[in-house]
Structures are given as C-alpha cells and as structure tokens.
Amino acid sequence: MSATHTLVIDRLGHRGEGVALVEGKPIFVPATLPGETVAVTIEGNRGTLLDILAPSPNRSAAPCPHFPACGGCQLQHLSAETYSQFKRSLVVDALSRAGVAADVNDPIIAYGAGRRRATFHATRSAAGFMALRSHQIHDLDRCPILVPALAQAPRIARDFASAVGPCDVAFTASDMGLDVAVRAKGTKANPKLTDLARAFDLARLSLNGEPLIIHRQPTVTMGRAQVPLPVGSFLQATEAAEAALAELVVKAVAGARQVADLFCGVGPFALRLAERAAVLAADSDSPAVAALDAAKRKAKGLKPIAAEKRDLFREPLGPFELNHFDAVVLDPPRAGAQAQIAELAKSKVKTIAYVSCDPQSFARDAATLVAAGYVIGPVRPLDQFAFSSHTEVFARFERP
C-alpha cells in the first residue's frame, strides 16, 4: 500500500491541477487549490488526492455529481473569481514567456446554453468521458455542460455501442436536429443502426466517416446563411462563442473592403464578413470549403466570397497575394499559423484579426508579428469550455 504524504499546494498548473513541491520537484494533484493542505499518495510526479486537510477559501462546491471522477472537467472546484483569474493567467503567462507585452482582459464568458458538440466513448454498459487519469469510461446519466438537445446523448451512445460494440459517438446539435457520427473498428452498416436513427429521430447518422442515413441535412445558421455541415465538421463548441468571436472579428476589420479569412472552416467569420466586404476564404478542409461555397450561393445580400481549398501550412499566402487585402483574419488549429504568420510579417497588410484556441501557439505567432512592427491591441481570452483548462484567445494587430 502506498504511503500517505501531506502536501501544501503551491499553485495551479496550466492543466488546472494543483502543484506541490517535494524535494524541489513538482507533484501534480487534481482537484486541489493553491494554499490547501492535502493528504495524497504519490506515484512518479502524480499525486492522488485522499483528503483535504485545510481547504482554500476559494474552493467551491462542484455543480456536477460526477466531478472529479469524470475526466471531462478539471475546474469545477474553483470559485468564480479564482476560475476567471486562472483562465486569464493562461494567456498572460504564455505571452510573458514569448516576450510579448500586451494588455490581457478578463475572459469573455461564452457558455450560452452549453456545448453543442461532444464525443462520448461507449460500450454496452457505459458511455461518457474517460475517468480521471484512466482509460476506463466514466458512465454518465447526463452532462450539465451540454445543450439541452444533447440530454439523451449518453443513452444514445450506449444503444449504438450495443449495436456495434465499443465505439466513439460524436454528437452535434444542429438546426435540424442531432447529427451523430459513430466510429467503430471493423463495423459495417446493419439494420440496428438505421432503426436507432429513426427511433431517436436523428437528422443524420454517419458510420466511420460516411453518411449512413439522412433524414434531414444538418445545418447551422451563420449570419444570413444556412451552412450544410459536413460529417465531422469543426464548429466552435458553443453557439455563443461563435457569435462573440465573430463580433470581435467583424469589429476588428471594420472598414476593410477586401478581407482574407484564412483557416476559414465552414465560414463562421467569412459569411458574416461578406455582409460588408469581399472575402477570400481559404482552408485545407475540402468538405468545409465546399459547405461554405454552398451556403454563400443560397444566402442573400452578401458580397463576393471566393472559397478556396489551400494548405496554409505548406502553401501560405505570400506578400504579393496578401498585399491585395486591407485585413486578414486567422483562426488556425491548435498548432497555430507559423508559416502563414512568417509571410504576414513580410507583408503590408494593415490589420490582422487573430483567433486562437491555444495560448502557447498564439503567443509564439504574436511575437513574430510584433517583431515585424505590428502593434498588438488588448488581448481577449474567451471561455467557451466551462470547467476545463482550455481557453480561446482573440487579438487585433495593426501595422502603424
């Protein structure tokens, strides 16, 4: 049996775990707070919480009975103020390490009605997220951070696992109902799947990336457009976050007549920007670009959108192309936009609106732009992943 250790938590790590120092080395203890005295067992650099001997005044009661056993959330035990400070600190620390001086605002809270997307691991007997520090599924009856339309998601996932065996079930709440995508190794279509799709009135059911049955084409509203969702399409986790980020982007490039929307996805920014400016929208995701193109063809009152498939990691727009635009919008994946940023640094583009899902890569790219003469405006963290250690970042860069 492992020995019990008494530790004092020093700080929160960037994944939201409490960090204590033992003989100068960090020990990471989930569900703890700075200043708390805790009893733990230790294995390697990981501590398992046994008891809180002296709780922090900043501790709050978790709103979900599955916390902290369920690994889907990391921060339900923080008070609202401590939580906000932690989210802001993720951005402040990343910029500091990159040598970028900038004002960082308090986070914009963008939970809205909850997350409209979720992926559950499922077996015949369990459906949910992986348990904390485990490869075992923590079975859920409900998940309070999801939109009401996903209330039955755990049950649906278990029923699909009963039909195909262990699987991952991805849910998206669309305007037309639930879009469900099942991934299961070695599984082929069978009548049980289509029966379940009808029983739960799914808008669409896909199996291993291919549509199996479509009762109603899943769509989402973006500005004046209805976008047909490709299978597995990326969307901001909450509708409120998409709207808030779009508002920041549109405001940042106000007055621009020619805008490039790079890493455009299905068009959450391009379709709104086109209400005022001509837009080049580029992304390497062919189905996403096709969906954007289909949406803009049916939407009314938009200026031209040129939707282009382009790998911006291998083939970024160069200065000659970039200099045709008054403003550039970037919303890259977690790795950031290093290659494209290097070309922007050599360009004459006046305004850059940068949306990021990773403070580290954002800070790296921001340092490149600042070194090239761009001035960074106030940085806006945005929190759409309630109780997690993830945060979005927005900033406007201006070339004097």
Side-chain angles (χ1 to χ4, degrees):
M1 186 173 182
S2 300
T4 299
H5 300 261
T6 299
L7 305 179
V8 176
I9 302 300
D10 177 65
R11 58 184 171 85
L12 289 179
H14 71 277
R15 294 183 179 178
E17 297 174 311
V19 182
L21 296 178
V22 176
E23 297 179 353
K25 297 181 180 179
I27 302 296
F28 298 90
V29 187
T32 59
L33 289 170
E36 291 188 327
T37 302
V38 296
V40 304
T41 57
I42 297 176
E43 183 176 350
N45 68 345
R46 318 296 293 181
T48 298
L49 180 65
L50 301 177
D51 192 13
I52 300 171
L53 304 176
S56 165
N58 296 319
R59 176 169 287 275
S60 179
C64 177
H66 294 283
F67 180 83
C70 172
C73 293
Q74 300 87 49
L75 302 172
Q76 290 195 14
H77 59 302
L78 275 65
S79 68
E81 182 179 356
T82 304
Y83 177 85
S84 179
Q85 290 173 352
F86 171 74
K87 290 274 180 161
R88 180 178 178 274
S89 74
L90 295 174
V91 182
V92 171
D93 292 348
L95 289 170
S96 177
R97 285 192 293 271
V100 177
D103 292 331
V104 180
N105 297 153
D106 289 333
I108 298 169
I109 302 301
Y111 306 152
R115 297 187 201 175
R116 58 184 173 181
R117 302 174 62 231
T119 298
F120 286 86
H121 308 294
T123 65
R124 296 174 186 271
S125 59
F129 305 111
M130 291 301 180
L132 183 66
R133 291 184 179 171
S134 171
H135 295 294
Q136 298 296 316
I137 299 169
H138 180 85
D139 190 40
L140 295 176
D141 55 345
R142 63 182 183 87
C143 180
I145 63 173
L146 303 182
V147 292
L150 295 182
Q152 289 196 84
R155 176 190 169 189
I156 295 171
R158 281 189 291 271
D159 282 0
F160 275 111
S162 295
V164 302
C167 58
D168 287 343
V169 186
F171 295 87
T172 301
S174 80
D175 293 345
M176 303 305 293
L178 293 187
D179 184 20
V180 175
V182 177
R183 287 202 170 272
K185 292 181 179 179
T187 298
K188 295 182 180 180
N190 66 65
K192 291 182 180 179
L193 296 176
T194 52
D195 288 346
L196 287 170
R198 293 189 183 94
F200 289 113
D201 191 29
L202 303 184
R204 176 173 63 189
L205 173 64
S206 303
L207 178 63
N208 295 330
E210 297 295 329
L212 184 61
I213 185 169
I214 303 175
H215 293 136
R216 301 173 298 279
Q217 171 61 47
T219 61
V220 291
T221 303
M222 293 181 173
R224 299 175 184 174
Q226 293 289 321
V227 181
L229 289 179
V231 175
S233 173
F234 172 79
L235 284 176
Q236 296 294 347
T238 72
E239 186 177 354
E242 179 189 298
L245 289 169
E247 182 178 354
L248 290 170
V249 165
V250 170
K251 183 178 178 180
V253 303
R257 300 178 66 183
Q258 299 284 337
V259 180
D261 180 11
L262 308 182
F263 307 95
C264 64
V266 296
F269 304 142
L271 289 164
R272 292 173 169 95
L273 291 165
E275 295 177 19
R276 304 180 183 182
V279 179
L280 167 69
D283 199 292
S284 62
D285 185 340
S286 296
V289 172
L292 166 57
D293 191 60
K296 63 103 173 179
R297 291 176 186 276
K298 293 184 178 181
K300 296 181 180 179
L302 299 183
K303 295 185 181 298
I305 300 176
E308 174 184 328
K309 179 185 180 299
R310 183 159 176 169
D311 187 337
L312 297 167
F313 294 105
R314 298 183 178 183
E315 191 186 356
L317 274 68
F320 178 77
E321 295 170 283
L322 290 168
N323 290 341
H324 289 88
F325 298 101
D326 307 308
V328 169
V329 175
L330 297 164
D331 184 13
R334 191 165 296 279
Q338 193 167 18
Q340 186 60 74
I341 289 291
E343 299 302 316
L344 278 163
K346 296 182 285 187
S347 77
K348 297 178 182 178
V349 174
K350 182 180 179 182
T351 303
I352 299 171
Y354 196 144
V355 176
S356 171
C357 61
D358 184 79
Q360 304 295 329
S361 61
F362 168 78
R364 178 202 66 206
D365 291 347
T368 300
L369 293 175
V370 170
Y374 281 93
V375 176
I376 183 171
V379 179
R380 303 298 305 272
L382 182 140
D383 184 19
Q384 63 174 321
F385 292 100
F387 308 123
S388 83
S389 57
H390 298 293
T391 188
E392 311 292 315
V393 187
F394 172 83
R396 180 178 187 265
F397 297 83
E398 187 82 5
R399 190 180 282 287

